[in-house]
Amino acid sequence: MSLMPVSEALENLLEGVEPRETVQAPLDKANGRFLAEPLTSTRNQPPFAASAMDGYAIRHSDLTGDTTVLEVIGEAPAGHGFAGKVQNGQAVRIFTGAPVPDGTDTILIQENAERTGDSITVLEQPQKAAFVRPAGLDFSKGEILLSPPLSLTYRHLALAAAMNHEKVPVIRKPVVAILATGDELVRPGQDPGPDQIIASNHAGIAALVEDCGGLPLDLGISRDDPIELATHVRKALDAKADILVTLGGASVGDHDLVQDVLGQEGMDLAFWRIAMRPGKPLMAGRLGKTKVLGLPGNPVSSLVCGLLFLKPLLKAMLGQRPDQARPQHAILGADLPENDRRQDYVRAALKEDDNGRQVVTPFAKQDSSMLNLLAMSGALIIRPPHAPGEKAGTTVPILIL
C-alpha cells in the first residue's frame, strides 16, 4: 500500500462523521461544552423598568423652576417594589435594581438630592428618563441569543442563567478509549525492568482529548498478546466508545499485532501508512460504530498524529469545523534542507523579534522519540513534500502548539 497524503487521509477519516446526540447539561457542568441547539430567552431582561442607580423615583413633570421640593412617600429596595402610585409632587426612595414605581419616569440620583425628614430638595435636575432601564433593555422573551456552533464560556453561561435556563442543550462528549500496547511499557511511577520504558503517550493523548471536549477512557497497557489485545478492544466496544485510539503496534513487525487483532475483531480498515514525518505508521478504520485510530508508538509521532487527526475527528463529532486551522506564518530563523516525499512537521522554537515579528527556529535534532523537544516547541514548521531548501529569513507556514 502506497503512502497516503495527509490531506487525503484526513478527508477519509472525517467522511460521514456526524455530531454526537444532544444531552442536557446543568449550567455548573456546561463550561467548555458545545451548544447543540439555539437557546431562546424565556423572559424579558429586565422584566420591568428598573432603576440603574440609588436615588429617588420622581415625575419629571414636577421639575419646575430652579428649586423643586418633593414629598417622599415610601421606599423601593431591590426585590421589593413600591406598591402604590406616585402623584404630583411626590417621590419614592429607590435602590439599584428595584422596579420604577407606577407614576414615575425618572431617577434623581441621591448625590443630586438633599433630604430633610420626609421631603427632598432637587439640587440638580436630571434629564427625563435618566437612570431608568426600560423593560427588555438587554433582551426580550422569545429572542434567540445563543446559537451553535459555540463553545460555551463563562459569558455564555451567565447569559443562559439570566434567560432562566437551568440546563442547556449540548453535544454529548465523545468517549475516547485509549489503549497503549507493548511488552516494553510500564505505567508512570512504576519501576521498569531492564528492557522496559515508561509509557508516556496515553497521558498526552488523554489530555488532548479533554482539551478538545472529549471524555478519555484509559484502557491501560496491553501486552503483545493477541488474546489480551482482543480483550481490551472488546472493553472499548462494551463501553460504547466513539473512538478507540491504540498507541503503538500498528506497523508490520513480528510483534506489531494491533492491526491483525482489530481485523479479526471485524475492523474495516480505511488506511494506514501516511506520507508524513513524524507519524508514517498511522492507521484508521471502523469497528462497528466505533472509529479506530492507530497512532504510532514513538511519543512525538503519537502526539503529532493526535494533533493532526484525533483533534479534527473530535471537533467533527462535537459539531465544530473539522478542518485544521489555517496555518499561520513566521520568519524562518535557520536554514532548512530540501524535503523528501513526506510532509514534514518540524519541531521549532517560536519567539518574537524586536520588530514584533514571529520567528520560528527549527531544532537541530528531530528524532521522533524526543519528547523534551516537543515540550519546548512553540510551533511545528509545515514542510510540504519535495519542498526546496529554504534560507533563514524566508516566510514559512507553521502550526502553533
Short mmCIF file of all heavy atoms in Angstrom, two decimals, residues 22-39 145-161 163 165-171 173 213 318 320:
data_model
loop_
_atom_site.label_atom_id
_atom_site.label_comp_id
_atom_site.label_asym_id
_atom_site.label_seq_id
_atom_site.Cartn_x
_atom_site.Cartn_y
_atom_site.Cartn_z
N THR A 22 -27.66 15.04 21.36
CA THR A 22 -27.82 16.16 22.28
C THR A 22 -28.17 15.66 23.67
O THR A 22 -29.00 14.76 23.83
CB THR A 22 -28.93 17.10 21.78
OG1 THR A 22 -28.56 17.62 20.50
CG2 THR A 22 -29.17 18.25 22.74
N VAL A 23 -27.53 16.25 24.67
CA VAL A 23 -27.86 15.97 26.08
C VAL A 23 -28.06 17.30 26.79
O VAL A 23 -27.62 18.36 26.31
CB VAL A 23 -26.75 15.15 26.77
CG1 VAL A 23 -26.61 13.77 26.14
CG2 VAL A 23 -25.41 15.88 26.72
N GLN A 24 -28.74 17.25 27.93
CA GLN A 24 -28.97 18.45 28.71
C GLN A 24 -27.94 18.52 29.83
O GLN A 24 -27.83 17.60 30.64
CB GLN A 24 -30.39 18.45 29.29
CG GLN A 24 -31.49 18.47 28.24
CD GLN A 24 -31.53 19.78 27.48
OE1 GLN A 24 -31.28 20.86 28.03
NE2 GLN A 24 -31.85 19.70 26.19
N ALA A 25 -27.19 19.61 29.88
CA ALA A 25 -26.15 19.77 30.90
C ALA A 25 -26.53 20.88 31.87
O ALA A 25 -26.90 21.98 31.44
CB ALA A 25 -24.81 20.10 30.25
N PRO A 26 -26.46 20.63 33.18
CA PRO A 26 -26.67 21.72 34.15
C PRO A 26 -25.65 22.83 33.91
O PRO A 26 -24.54 22.57 33.43
CB PRO A 26 -26.45 21.05 35.51
CG PRO A 26 -26.60 19.58 35.25
CD PRO A 26 -26.16 19.36 33.84
N LEU A 27 -26.02 24.04 34.25
CA LEU A 27 -25.13 25.17 33.98
C LEU A 27 -23.77 24.99 34.63
O LEU A 27 -22.74 25.35 34.04
CB LEU A 27 -25.77 26.47 34.49
CG LEU A 27 -26.99 26.98 33.73
CD1 LEU A 27 -27.48 28.29 34.33
CD2 LEU A 27 -26.69 27.17 32.25
N ASP A 28 -23.73 24.40 35.84
CA ASP A 28 -22.44 24.25 36.51
C ASP A 28 -21.59 23.12 35.93
O ASP A 28 -20.45 22.92 36.35
CB ASP A 28 -22.64 24.06 38.02
CG ASP A 28 -23.41 22.79 38.36
OD1 ASP A 28 -23.95 22.15 37.44
OD2 ASP A 28 -23.47 22.45 39.55
N LYS A 29 -22.14 22.39 34.93
CA LYS A 29 -21.37 21.34 34.27
C LYS A 29 -21.20 21.63 32.78
O LYS A 29 -20.74 20.77 32.03
CB LYS A 29 -22.08 19.99 34.43
CG LYS A 29 -22.33 19.57 35.87
CD LYS A 29 -21.05 19.33 36.63
CE LYS A 29 -21.34 18.83 38.05
NZ LYS A 29 -20.10 18.66 38.85
N ALA A 30 -21.57 22.83 32.35
CA ALA A 30 -21.62 23.11 30.91
C ALA A 30 -20.45 23.95 30.40
O ALA A 30 -20.35 24.18 29.20
CB ALA A 30 -22.93 23.82 30.56
N ASN A 31 -19.58 24.39 31.29
CA ASN A 31 -18.46 25.22 30.84
C ASN A 31 -17.57 24.44 29.89
O ASN A 31 -17.15 23.31 30.17
CB ASN A 31 -17.65 25.69 32.04
CG ASN A 31 -16.60 26.71 31.65
OD1 ASN A 31 -16.83 27.55 30.79
ND2 ASN A 31 -15.45 26.66 32.29
N GLY A 32 -17.29 25.01 28.73
CA GLY A 32 -16.46 24.36 27.73
C GLY A 32 -17.20 23.37 26.85
O GLY A 32 -16.61 22.85 25.91
N ARG A 33 -18.48 23.11 27.14
CA ARG A 33 -19.25 22.19 26.31
C ARG A 33 -19.70 22.90 25.03
O ARG A 33 -19.67 24.14 24.94
CB ARG A 33 -20.48 21.67 27.07
CG ARG A 33 -20.16 20.94 28.37
CD ARG A 33 -19.47 19.62 28.15
NE ARG A 33 -20.32 18.66 27.47
CZ ARG A 33 -21.15 17.83 28.08
NH1 ARG A 33 -21.25 17.84 29.41
NH2 ARG A 33 -21.86 16.95 27.39
N PHE A 34 -20.17 22.11 24.06
CA PHE A 34 -20.54 22.67 22.76
C PHE A 34 -22.06 22.70 22.63
O PHE A 34 -22.72 21.67 22.75
CB PHE A 34 -19.90 21.86 21.64
CG PHE A 34 -18.41 22.00 21.60
CD1 PHE A 34 -17.59 21.12 22.29
CD2 PHE A 34 -17.81 23.03 20.90
CE1 PHE A 34 -16.21 21.24 22.27
CE2 PHE A 34 -16.43 23.18 20.87
CZ PHE A 34 -15.64 22.28 21.57
N LEU A 35 -22.58 23.90 22.39
CA LEU A 35 -24.02 24.09 22.29
C LEU A 35 -24.57 23.30 21.10
O LEU A 35 -24.02 23.35 20.01
CB LEU A 35 -24.34 25.58 22.14
CG LEU A 35 -25.80 25.99 22.24
CD1 LEU A 35 -26.34 25.74 23.64
CD2 LEU A 35 -25.96 27.46 21.87
N ALA A 36 -25.69 22.59 21.33
CA ALA A 36 -26.25 21.74 20.29
C ALA A 36 -27.43 22.37 19.58
O ALA A 36 -27.69 22.05 18.42
CB ALA A 36 -26.69 20.40 20.90
N GLU A 37 -28.16 23.25 20.25
CA GLU A 37 -29.37 23.84 19.68
C GLU A 37 -29.42 25.32 20.05
O GLU A 37 -28.84 25.74 21.05
CB GLU A 37 -30.61 23.14 20.25
CG GLU A 37 -30.68 21.65 19.98
CD GLU A 37 -31.78 20.97 20.77
OE1 GLU A 37 -32.46 21.69 21.57
OE2 GLU A 37 -31.96 19.76 20.62
N PRO A 38 -30.14 26.12 19.24
CA PRO A 38 -30.31 27.54 19.60
C PRO A 38 -30.98 27.67 20.96
O PRO A 38 -31.86 26.88 21.31
CB PRO A 38 -31.20 28.09 18.48
CG PRO A 38 -31.00 27.15 17.34
CD PRO A 38 -30.78 25.80 17.95
N LEU A 39 -30.56 28.66 21.73
CA LEU A 39 -31.11 28.88 23.07
C LEU A 39 -31.92 30.16 23.05
O LEU A 39 -31.41 31.24 22.72
CB LEU A 39 -29.98 28.96 24.10
CG LEU A 39 -30.35 28.61 25.53
CD1 LEU A 39 -30.83 27.17 25.63
CD2 LEU A 39 -29.16 28.82 26.46
N LEU A 145 -30.63 33.95 21.57
CA LEU A 145 -29.44 34.69 21.99
C LEU A 145 -28.15 33.89 21.83
O LEU A 145 -27.07 34.48 21.72
CB LEU A 145 -29.59 35.13 23.45
CG LEU A 145 -30.80 36.01 23.76
CD1 LEU A 145 -30.84 36.37 25.23
CD2 LEU A 145 -30.75 37.29 22.92
N LEU A 146 -28.23 32.58 21.84
CA LEU A 146 -27.04 31.72 21.68
C LEU A 146 -27.34 30.67 20.62
O LEU A 146 -28.39 30.01 20.67
CB LEU A 146 -26.67 31.05 23.00
CG LEU A 146 -26.29 31.98 24.16
CD1 LEU A 146 -26.12 31.18 25.45
CD2 LEU A 146 -25.01 32.75 23.84
N SER A 147 -26.43 30.51 19.68
CA SER A 147 -26.64 29.57 18.59
C SER A 147 -25.37 28.74 18.34
O SER A 147 -24.26 29.25 18.49
CB SER A 147 -27.01 30.31 17.30
OG SER A 147 -28.21 31.02 17.45
N PRO A 148 -25.52 27.47 17.97
CA PRO A 148 -24.35 26.66 17.60
C PRO A 148 -23.84 27.07 16.23
O PRO A 148 -24.59 27.69 15.47
CB PRO A 148 -24.92 25.23 17.57
CG PRO A 148 -26.39 25.40 17.33
CD PRO A 148 -26.78 26.73 17.92
N PRO A 149 -22.57 26.79 15.88
CA PRO A 149 -21.59 26.13 16.76
C PRO A 149 -20.99 27.12 17.76
O PRO A 149 -20.66 28.25 17.39
CB PRO A 149 -20.52 25.66 15.77
CG PRO A 149 -20.58 26.65 14.65
CD PRO A 149 -22.02 27.06 14.54
N LEU A 150 -20.93 26.70 19.00
CA LEU A 150 -20.47 27.61 20.05
C LEU A 150 -19.92 26.80 21.21
O LEU A 150 -20.58 25.88 21.71
CB LEU A 150 -21.63 28.48 20.54
CG LEU A 150 -21.33 29.48 21.65
CD1 LEU A 150 -20.36 30.55 21.17
CD2 LEU A 150 -22.61 30.11 22.17
N SER A 151 -18.71 27.11 21.62
CA SER A 151 -18.13 26.55 22.83
C SER A 151 -18.51 27.46 23.98
O SER A 151 -18.13 28.63 24.02
CB SER A 151 -16.61 26.45 22.70
OG SER A 151 -16.03 25.99 23.90
N LEU A 152 -19.26 26.93 24.92
CA LEU A 152 -19.81 27.74 26.00
C LEU A 152 -18.74 28.17 26.99
O LEU A 152 -17.96 27.35 27.47
CB LEU A 152 -20.91 26.97 26.73
CG LEU A 152 -22.15 26.65 25.89
CD1 LEU A 152 -23.02 25.62 26.59
CD2 LEU A 152 -22.95 27.91 25.59
N THR A 153 -18.71 29.46 27.29
CA THR A 153 -17.77 30.02 28.26
C THR A 153 -18.55 30.67 29.40
O THR A 153 -19.79 30.66 29.41
CB THR A 153 -16.87 31.08 27.61
OG1 THR A 153 -17.68 32.24 27.27
CG2 THR A 153 -16.20 30.55 26.34
N TYR A 154 -17.84 31.26 30.33
CA TYR A 154 -18.47 31.93 31.47
C TYR A 154 -19.45 33.01 31.01
O TYR A 154 -20.49 33.22 31.64
CB TYR A 154 -17.40 32.52 32.39
CG TYR A 154 -16.60 33.64 31.78
CD1 TYR A 154 -16.94 34.97 31.97
CD2 TYR A 154 -15.48 33.37 30.98
CE1 TYR A 154 -16.20 36.00 31.41
CE2 TYR A 154 -14.75 34.39 30.42
CZ TYR A 154 -15.11 35.71 30.64
OH TYR A 154 -14.39 36.73 30.07
N ARG A 155 -19.14 33.69 29.91
CA ARG A 155 -20.03 34.76 29.41
C ARG A 155 -21.35 34.18 28.93
O ARG A 155 -22.43 34.70 29.23
CB ARG A 155 -19.34 35.52 28.28
CG ARG A 155 -18.07 36.23 28.71
CD ARG A 155 -17.39 36.92 27.54
NE ARG A 155 -16.81 35.96 26.60
CZ ARG A 155 -17.16 35.84 25.34
NH1 ARG A 155 -18.10 36.61 24.83
NH2 ARG A 155 -16.57 34.97 24.55
N HIS A 156 -21.27 33.09 28.16
CA HIS A 156 -22.48 32.49 27.62
C HIS A 156 -23.33 31.86 28.73
O HIS A 156 -24.56 31.94 28.70
CB HIS A 156 -22.11 31.41 26.60
CG HIS A 156 -21.18 31.90 25.54
ND1 HIS A 156 -19.93 31.36 25.34
CD2 HIS A 156 -21.30 32.91 24.64
CE1 HIS A 156 -19.33 31.99 24.35
NE2 HIS A 156 -20.13 32.93 23.91
N LEU A 157 -22.67 31.26 29.72
CA LEU A 157 -23.42 30.61 30.79
C LEU A 157 -24.10 31.63 31.69
O LEU A 157 -25.21 31.38 32.19
CB LEU A 157 -22.49 29.70 31.59
CG LEU A 157 -21.94 28.51 30.79
CD1 LEU A 157 -20.93 27.72 31.61
CD2 LEU A 157 -23.08 27.61 30.32
N ALA A 158 -23.46 32.78 31.90
CA ALA A 158 -24.13 33.85 32.66
C ALA A 158 -25.37 34.33 31.92
O ALA A 158 -26.43 34.57 32.53
CB ALA A 158 -23.17 35.01 32.89
N LEU A 159 -25.28 34.45 30.60
CA LEU A 159 -26.43 34.86 29.80
C LEU A 159 -27.52 33.79 29.85
O LEU A 159 -28.71 34.11 30.00
CB LEU A 159 -25.99 35.11 28.36
CG LEU A 159 -27.09 35.45 27.35
CD1 LEU A 159 -27.86 36.69 27.79
CD2 LEU A 159 -26.50 35.66 25.97
N ALA A 160 -27.14 32.51 29.74
CA ALA A 160 -28.13 31.45 29.80
C ALA A 160 -28.87 31.46 31.14
O ALA A 160 -30.09 31.24 31.19
CB ALA A 160 -27.46 30.09 29.59
N ALA A 161 -28.14 31.73 32.21
CA ALA A 161 -28.78 31.82 33.53
C ALA A 161 -29.76 32.99 33.58
O ALA A 161 -30.88 32.86 34.09
CB ALA A 161 -27.72 31.97 34.61
N MET A 163 -31.36 34.15 31.17
CA MET A 163 -32.51 33.75 30.34
C MET A 163 -33.41 32.76 31.06
O MET A 163 -34.42 32.31 30.52
CB MET A 163 -32.01 33.14 29.03
CG MET A 163 -31.25 34.11 28.14
SD MET A 163 -30.17 33.27 26.93
CE MET A 163 -31.37 32.46 25.89
N HIS A 165 -32.52 29.62 32.14
CA HIS A 165 -32.30 28.22 31.78
C HIS A 165 -31.48 27.55 32.88
O HIS A 165 -30.36 27.98 33.16
CB HIS A 165 -31.58 28.11 30.44
CG HIS A 165 -32.43 28.46 29.27
ND1 HIS A 165 -33.37 27.60 28.76
CD2 HIS A 165 -32.49 29.59 28.52
CE1 HIS A 165 -33.98 28.17 27.73
NE2 HIS A 165 -33.46 29.38 27.56
N GLU A 166 -32.01 26.50 33.45
CA GLU A 166 -31.28 25.72 34.45
C GLU A 166 -30.29 24.78 33.79
O GLU A 166 -29.23 24.48 34.33
CB GLU A 166 -32.27 24.93 35.31
CG GLU A 166 -31.62 24.09 36.39
CD GLU A 166 -32.63 23.24 37.15
OE1 GLU A 166 -33.79 23.15 36.69
OE2 GLU A 166 -32.26 22.66 38.18
N LYS A 167 -30.65 24.29 32.59
CA LYS A 167 -29.80 23.40 31.81
C LYS A 167 -29.70 23.93 30.39
O LYS A 167 -30.55 24.72 29.95
CB LYS A 167 -30.37 21.98 31.80
CG LYS A 167 -30.46 21.33 33.17
CD LYS A 167 -31.05 19.93 33.07
CE LYS A 167 -31.12 19.26 34.43
NZ LYS A 167 -31.68 17.88 34.34
N VAL A 168 -28.67 23.49 29.68
CA VAL A 168 -28.50 23.89 28.28
C VAL A 168 -28.28 22.66 27.42
O VAL A 168 -27.67 21.67 27.87
CB VAL A 168 -27.33 24.87 28.11
CG1 VAL A 168 -27.65 26.23 28.70
CG2 VAL A 168 -26.06 24.33 28.75
N PRO A 169 -28.78 22.67 26.17
CA PRO A 169 -28.57 21.53 25.28
C PRO A 169 -27.15 21.54 24.70
O PRO A 169 -26.75 22.50 24.05
CB PRO A 169 -29.62 21.74 24.19
CG PRO A 169 -29.82 23.23 24.15
CD PRO A 169 -29.60 23.72 25.56
N VAL A 170 -26.42 20.49 24.96
CA VAL A 170 -25.04 20.41 24.48
C VAL A 170 -24.84 19.08 23.76
O VAL A 170 -25.63 18.14 23.92
CB VAL A 170 -24.02 20.53 25.63
CG1 VAL A 170 -24.12 21.89 26.31
CG2 VAL A 170 -24.22 19.42 26.67
N ILE A 171 -23.80 19.00 22.97
CA ILE A 171 -23.46 17.76 22.29
C ILE A 171 -22.73 16.84 23.27
O ILE A 171 -21.82 17.28 23.98
CB ILE A 171 -22.59 18.04 21.06
CG1 ILE A 171 -23.36 18.90 20.04
CG2 ILE A 171 -22.12 16.74 20.41
CD1 ILE A 171 -22.54 19.35 18.86
N LYS A 173 -20.27 14.48 25.02
CA LYS A 173 -18.83 14.33 24.86
C LYS A 173 -18.49 12.98 24.24
O LYS A 173 -18.93 11.94 24.75
CB LYS A 173 -18.14 14.43 26.22
CG LYS A 173 -18.14 15.80 26.85
CD LYS A 173 -17.31 15.80 28.13
CE LYS A 173 -17.21 17.20 28.71
NZ LYS A 173 -16.31 17.24 29.89
N GLY A 213 -12.61 18.55 24.19
CA GLY A 213 -14.01 18.39 24.60
C GLY A 213 -14.47 16.95 24.68
O GLY A 213 -15.66 16.69 24.85
N LEU A 318 -18.18 16.89 17.63
CA LEU A 318 -18.76 17.91 18.51
C LEU A 318 -19.41 19.04 17.72
O LEU A 318 -19.71 20.10 18.27
CB LEU A 318 -17.67 18.46 19.44
CG LEU A 318 -17.25 17.50 20.55
CD1 LEU A 318 -15.94 17.93 21.19
CD2 LEU A 318 -18.35 17.38 21.61
N GLN A 320 -18.20 20.95 15.41
CA GLN A 320 -17.34 22.08 15.08
C GLN A 320 -16.74 21.90 13.69
O GLN A 320 -16.86 20.84 13.08
CB GLN A 320 -16.22 22.19 16.12
CG GLN A 320 -16.70 22.26 17.55
CD GLN A 320 -17.59 23.45 17.79
OE1 GLN A 320 -17.16 24.60 17.74
NE2 GLN A 320 -18.86 23.20 18.07
#
